[in-house]
Amino acid sequence: MFGLIALLAGLLPNVHTTAAQRIAEIHTHWYVHVSRILMALSGVFMLFGFNWARCLLVVWMAFHLVIGALHSPFQLLMHTLLFAVVLYFLFRPQASAYFRSTSAEPQKGN
């Protein structure tokens, strides 16, 4: 949900910007929007139990951890703590069972 809200907030026009400024901003910061789309996709598909979405979230969080390291030591610490919490909840036995139970398995013939 947060990814969708962040994506919409980034794409919706600001009151004091022109359309040309918005287009230029999207062209220069396209990777931010791609990152938000990946975050939203992983969240939505994790709700349906897709294991690849869990892996996508881990990769996205690792990328975000590197970005946080480029900003400040405090942001690196906060992103590291958040990453550890996300990893804990994503790879607990109950979570693994959830992702295993909803995986696409071939149907057995009658």
Side-chain angles (χ1 to χ4, degrees):
M1 217 41 212
F2 182 74
L4 294 173
I5 292 169
L7 180 64
L8 287 176
L11 292 177
L12 291 177
N14 195 343
V15 176
H16 302 291
T17 59
T18 65
Q21 289 172 328
R22 293 296 298 163
I23 291 170
E25 182 179 301
I26 289 172
H27 285 303
T28 57
H29 296 106
W30 62 269
Y31 52 88
V32 173
H33 302 300
V34 169
S35 172
R36 290 175 178 164
I37 289 169
L38 291 176
M39 178 175 48
L41 281 174
S42 67
V44 168
F45 283 98
M46 278 194 323
L47 289 175
F48 291 107
F50 286 92
N51 193 42
W52 63 263
R54 178 170 64 159
C55 298
L56 178 62
L57 182 66
V58 169
V59 170
W60 180 84
M61 287 291 298
F63 168 74
H64 208 69
L65 185 70
V66 171
I67 297 299
L70 297 175
H71 288 256
S72 71
F74 178 73
Q75 283 193 10
L76 174 62
L77 176 65
M78 289 296 107
H79 286 106
T80 302
L81 291 174
L82 182 61
F83 189 50
V85 169
V86 167
L87 285 177
Y88 171 75
F89 283 108
L90 281 179
F91 291 99
R92 289 179 16 195
Q94 296 92 339
S96 294
Y98 169 74
F99 287 107
R100 215 176 9 258
S101 69
T102 58
S103 65
E105 295 178 3
Q107 299 262 339
K108 294 182 181 178
N110 290 336

